[in-house]
Amino acid sequence: MKVLGIDTSNMPLGIALVDGDVVKGEFITNVKKDHSSRAMPAIELLLRRCDVAPKDLDLIVVAKGPGSYTGVRIGVTIAKTLAWSLGIPIAGVSSLEVLAANGRYFPGVIVPLFDARRGQIYTGLYRYEGGALRCLEEDRIVAADEWARWLSKQEEDVLFIGADAPLYRDLFRSHLGERVHVAPPSLALPRPSELVMLGKQKERENAHLFVPNYLRLAEAEVKWLAKQKGEQNDGDQCSISANDHS
């Protein structure tokens, strides 16, 4: 079974092609460039170098978030379009789960994270048990200091993984002390080959029905909802005033 993996959910761009249990090729970059103009050329290049045509693919696996709203949307749109046009299923994997997979040999719990700005992080809690990655606490967006306080009560060594993990090293150490371990840079980026391996175990979904997991609304949507709520409140006040005068 030939599987294509796509991850554009954060700054790293990752593409992988797996045939059975063999990783045929993998493409990773970690630069501030637009995924919308680079993802498809990367997919085409990888398939061509591996002598695989799109019609040979059996499954598309995509990182479904959380992460950058635009990044998640780009990857999911490409994956859905490819799956629909090829008539093959799609499978989604948490972007945090993909990152947590890099902690395979850590004996404690694994905390993947992405910076969500304003002191917040996208994160979750994972552990390897019997060679399989298990989710202990589902993905969430949370204040970093709140998450640090919660983790301090678990009394286990913690491996923090992600390119943004060093930003919060001091905060976590202030709560967890020597139980804090930060993965080295070589393990800080999600591997698209791990994405595929995880995705092969996930439920297959119809491309039309597949939805990403943003965990929070885009800033534009938040502003729009706030505006609508404000207009509704103004309308309610007008109704009350009109009733008072009647």
Side-chain angles (χ1 to χ4, degrees), residues 72-92:
V72 172
R73 185 178 59 196
I74 289 169
V76 169
T77 299
I78 291 174
K80 292 179 67 168
T81 302
L82 285 173
W84 176 81
S85 63
L86 297 170
I88 58 178
I90 188 173

Side-chain angles (χ1 to χ4, degrees), residues 54-216:
K55 64 179 179 61
D56 298 326
L57 297 172
D58 300 293
L59 174 68
I60 306 292
V61 177
V62 64
K64 65 179 183 179
S68 157
Y69 181 86
T70 301
V72 172
R73 185 178 59 196
I74 289 169
V76 169
T77 299
I78 291 174
K80 292 179 67 168
T81 302
L82 285 173
W84 176 81
S85 63
L86 297 170
I88 58 178
I90 188 173
V93 181
S94 158
S95 302
L96 288 165
E97 184 179 358
V98 178
L99 190 54
N102 288 352
R104 185 180 305 274
Y105 301 108
F106 186 72
V109 293
I110 304 166
V111 173
L113 68 86
F114 306 125
D115 184 30
R117 296 185 297 181
R118 299 187 179 95
Q120 295 183 306
I121 55 176
Y122 296 112
T123 190
L125 190 68
Y126 294 80
R127 184 202 303 276
Y128 269 98
E129 295 181 351
L133 186 61
R134 178 187 168 201
C135 179
L136 305 178
E137 292 288 334
E138 64 183 25
D139 298 347
R140 65 197 64 190
I141 181 170
V142 63
D145 57 352
E146 178 184 337
W147 186 234
R149 289 194 298 272
W150 186 87
L151 289 170
S152 69
K153 301 174 184 177
Q154 306 311 303
E155 300 182 351
E156 286 192 79
D157 279 13
V158 182
L159 177 65
F160 294 91
I161 298 185
D164 298 325
L167 298 175
Y168 296 94
R169 179 190 285 113
D170 292 343
L171 171 64
F172 291 132
R173 282 185 174 161
S174 69
H175 288 274
L176 285 81
E178 296 303 314
R179 292 189 287 122
V180 170
H181 305 268
V182 177
S186 59
L187 297 177
L189 302 182
R191 295 288 302 274
S193 54
E194 290 283 9
L195 165 68
V196 172
M197 295 304 183
L198 291 168
K200 289 167 64 176
Q201 310 303 317
K202 304 294 185 181
E203 180 181 354
R204 308 298 194 255
E205 299 186 52
N206 181 286
H208 290 293
L209 303 177
F210 184 85
V211 293
N213 179 23
Y214 294 116
L215 280 188
R216 72 176 177 188

